mmCIF file of all heavy atoms in Angstrom:
data_model
loop_
_atom_site.group_PDB
_atom_site.id
_atom_site.type_symbol
_atom_site.label_atom_id
_atom_site.label_comp_id
_atom_site.label_asym_id
_atom_site.label_seq_id
_atom_site.Cartn_x
_atom_site.Cartn_y
_atom_site.Cartn_z
ATOM 1 N N ASP A 689 -12.462 -0.535 14.443
ATOM 2 C CA ASP A 689 -13.682 -0.584 13.621
ATOM 3 C C ASP A 689 -13.507 -1.581 12.477
ATOM 4 O O ASP A 689 -14.432 -2.355 12.166
ATOM 5 C CB ASP A 689 -13.993 0.800 13.048
ATOM 6 C CG ASP A 689 -14.368 1.828 14.094
ATOM 7 O OD1 ASP A 689 -14.607 1.418 15.258
ATOM 8 O OD2 ASP A 689 -14.387 3.021 13.775
ATOM 9 N N MET A 690 -12.377 -1.551 11.820
ATOM 10 C CA MET A 690 -12.134 -2.462 10.702
ATOM 11 C C MET A 690 -12.139 -3.905 11.159
ATOM 12 O O MET A 690 -12.768 -4.779 10.531
ATOM 13 C CB MET A 690 -10.766 -2.146 10.055
ATOM 14 C CG MET A 690 -10.667 -0.803 9.394
ATOM 15 S SD MET A 690 -9.042 -0.638 8.641
ATOM 16 C CE MET A 690 -9.084 1.083 8.132
ATOM 17 N N ARG A 691 -11.446 -4.187 12.240
ATOM 18 C CA ARG A 691 -11.296 -5.558 12.695
ATOM 19 C C ARG A 691 -12.646 -6.195 13.049
ATOM 20 O O ARG A 691 -12.836 -7.391 12.902
ATOM 21 C CB ARG A 691 -10.345 -5.593 13.899
ATOM 22 C CG ARG A 691 -9.906 -6.964 14.300
ATOM 23 C CD ARG A 691 -8.617 -6.928 15.113
ATOM 24 N NE ARG A 691 -8.576 -5.811 16.033
ATOM 25 C CZ ARG A 691 -7.490 -5.418 16.681
ATOM 26 N NH1 ARG A 691 -6.349 -6.065 16.468
ATOM 27 N NH2 ARG A 691 -7.511 -4.409 17.518
ATOM 28 N N GLU A 692 -13.594 -5.372 13.481
ATOM 29 C CA GLU A 692 -14.921 -5.888 13.824
ATOM 30 C C GLU A 692 -15.723 -6.372 12.626
ATOM 31 O O GLU A 692 -16.528 -7.291 12.743
ATOM 32 C CB GLU A 692 -15.733 -4.820 14.546
ATOM 33 C CG GLU A 692 -15.274 -4.531 15.974
ATOM 34 C CD GLU A 692 -16.146 -3.474 16.631
ATOM 35 O OE1 GLU A 692 -17.142 -3.042 15.996
ATOM 36 O OE2 GLU A 692 -15.850 -3.090 17.753
ATOM 37 N N THR A 693 -15.485 -5.760 11.455
ATOM 38 C CA THR A 693 -16.377 -6.003 10.319
ATOM 39 C C THR A 693 -15.706 -6.458 9.038
ATOM 40 O O THR A 693 -16.352 -7.050 8.174
ATOM 41 C CB THR A 693 -17.187 -4.745 10.005
ATOM 42 O OG1 THR A 693 -16.314 -3.696 9.608
ATOM 43 C CG2 THR A 693 -18.000 -4.293 11.200
ATOM 44 N N ALA A 694 -14.399 -6.181 8.864
ATOM 45 C CA ALA A 694 -13.780 -6.314 7.545
ATOM 46 C C ALA A 694 -13.616 -7.770 7.124
ATOM 47 O O ALA A 694 -13.094 -8.585 7.870
ATOM 48 C CB ALA A 694 -12.420 -5.623 7.525
ATOM 49 N N ASP A 695 -14.042 -8.061 5.891
ATOM 50 C CA ASP A 695 -13.738 -9.322 5.237
ATOM 51 C C ASP A 695 -12.591 -9.145 4.239
ATOM 52 O O ASP A 695 -12.027 -10.138 3.768
ATOM 53 C CB ASP A 695 -14.972 -9.838 4.510
ATOM 54 C CG ASP A 695 -16.070 -10.209 5.474
ATOM 55 O OD1 ASP A 695 -15.877 -11.163 6.253
ATOM 56 O OD2 ASP A 695 -17.130 -9.541 5.473
ATOM 57 N N ALA A 696 -12.244 -7.915 3.915
ATOM 58 C CA ALA A 696 -11.089 -7.602 3.068
ATOM 59 C C ALA A 696 -10.788 -6.123 3.236
ATOM 60 O O ALA A 696 -11.701 -5.315 3.492
ATOM 61 C CB ALA A 696 -11.340 -7.931 1.602
ATOM 62 N N ILE A 697 -9.494 -5.767 3.095
ATOM 63 C CA ILE A 697 -9.072 -4.376 3.196
ATOM 64 C C ILE A 697 -8.174 -4.062 2.008
ATOM 65 O O ILE A 697 -7.211 -4.801 1.739
ATOM 66 C CB ILE A 697 -8.317 -4.097 4.505
ATOM 67 C CG1 ILE A 697 -9.224 -4.344 5.715
ATOM 68 C CG2 ILE A 697 -7.784 -2.674 4.530
ATOM 69 C CD1 ILE A 697 -8.518 -4.250 7.041
ATOM 70 N N LEU A 698 -8.463 -2.968 1.305
ATOM 71 C CA LEU A 698 -7.606 -2.451 0.250
ATOM 72 C C LEU A 698 -6.989 -1.142 0.776
ATOM 73 O O LEU A 698 -7.695 -0.149 0.943
ATOM 74 C CB LEU A 698 -8.381 -2.176 -1.027
ATOM 75 C CG LEU A 698 -8.707 -3.363 -1.945
ATOM 76 C CD1 LEU A 698 -9.639 -4.364 -1.230
ATOM 77 C CD2 LEU A 698 -9.344 -2.872 -3.234
ATOM 78 N N SER A 699 -5.702 -1.170 1.050
ATOM 79 C CA SER A 699 -5.011 0.000 1.567
ATOM 80 C C SER A 699 -4.273 0.671 0.419
ATOM 81 O O SER A 699 -3.191 0.241 0.002
ATOM 82 C CB SER A 699 -4.018 -0.427 2.668
ATOM 83 O OG SER A 699 -3.306 0.674 3.176
ATOM 84 N N LEU A 700 -4.880 1.725 -0.140
ATOM 85 C CA LEU A 700 -4.396 2.337 -1.354
ATOM 86 C C LEU A 700 -3.306 3.363 -1.045
ATOM 87 O O LEU A 700 -3.485 4.263 -0.229
ATOM 88 C CB LEU A 700 -5.543 3.044 -2.096
ATOM 89 C CG LEU A 700 -6.768 2.152 -2.402
ATOM 90 C CD1 LEU A 700 -7.844 2.981 -3.086
ATOM 91 C CD2 LEU A 700 -6.378 0.965 -3.275
ATOM 92 N N HIS A 701 -2.160 3.188 -1.732
ATOM 93 C CA HIS A 701 -0.997 4.066 -1.512
ATOM 94 C C HIS A 701 -0.494 4.578 -2.870
ATOM 95 O O HIS A 701 -0.981 4.185 -3.917
ATOM 96 C CB HIS A 701 0.126 3.275 -0.862
ATOM 97 C CG HIS A 701 -0.067 2.960 0.579
ATOM 98 N ND1 HIS A 701 0.732 3.454 1.570
ATOM 99 C CD2 HIS A 701 -1.000 2.194 1.196
ATOM 100 C CE1 HIS A 701 0.324 3.013 2.755
ATOM 101 N NE2 HIS A 701 -0.711 2.238 2.547
ATOM 102 N N THR A 702 0.514 5.441 -2.791
ATOM 103 C CA THR A 702 1.371 5.726 -3.943
ATOM 104 C C THR A 702 2.812 5.642 -3.474
ATOM 105 O O THR A 702 3.076 5.543 -2.262
ATOM 106 C CB THR A 702 1.102 7.107 -4.570
ATOM 107 O OG1 THR A 702 1.524 8.135 -3.655
ATOM 108 C CG2 THR A 702 -0.358 7.284 -4.897
ATOM 109 N N SER A 703 3.747 5.704 -4.419
ATOM 110 C CA SER A 703 5.163 5.597 -4.065
ATOM 111 C C SER A 703 5.884 6.864 -4.478
ATOM 112 O O SER A 703 5.339 7.953 -4.394
ATOM 113 C CB SER A 703 5.739 4.335 -4.728
ATOM 114 O OG SER A 703 7.048 4.067 -4.252
ATOM 115 N N TRP A 704 7.142 6.733 -4.910
ATOM 116 C CA TRP A 704 7.913 7.886 -5.335
ATOM 117 C C TRP A 704 7.282 8.527 -6.573
ATOM 118 O O TRP A 704 6.427 7.918 -7.241
ATOM 119 C CB TRP A 704 9.351 7.460 -5.659
ATOM 120 C CG TRP A 704 10.028 6.744 -4.551
ATOM 121 C CD1 TRP A 704 10.121 5.374 -4.381
ATOM 122 C CD2 TRP A 704 10.697 7.312 -3.414
ATOM 123 N NE1 TRP A 704 10.816 5.069 -3.241
ATOM 124 C CE2 TRP A 704 11.187 6.255 -2.628
ATOM 125 C CE3 TRP A 704 10.941 8.627 -3.012
ATOM 126 C CZ2 TRP A 704 11.913 6.461 -1.453
ATOM 127 C CZ3 TRP A 704 11.663 8.838 -1.836
ATOM 128 C CH2 TRP A 704 12.128 7.755 -1.084
ATOM 129 N N VAL A 705 7.684 9.734 -6.906
ATOM 130 C CA VAL A 705 7.073 10.459 -8.021
ATOM 131 C C VAL A 705 7.107 9.627 -9.292
ATOM 132 O O VAL A 705 6.130 9.566 -10.027
ATOM 133 C CB VAL A 705 7.760 11.813 -8.219
ATOM 134 C CG1 VAL A 705 7.412 12.396 -9.588
ATOM 135 C CG2 VAL A 705 7.370 12.798 -7.118
#
Side-chain angles (χ1 to χ4, degrees):
D689 294 347
M690 294 182 188
R691 192 159 38 193
E692 287 181 5
T693 63
D695 294 295
I697 298 173
L698 280 64
S699 179
L700 305 178
H701 287 244
T702 68
S703 189
W704 306 95
V705 164

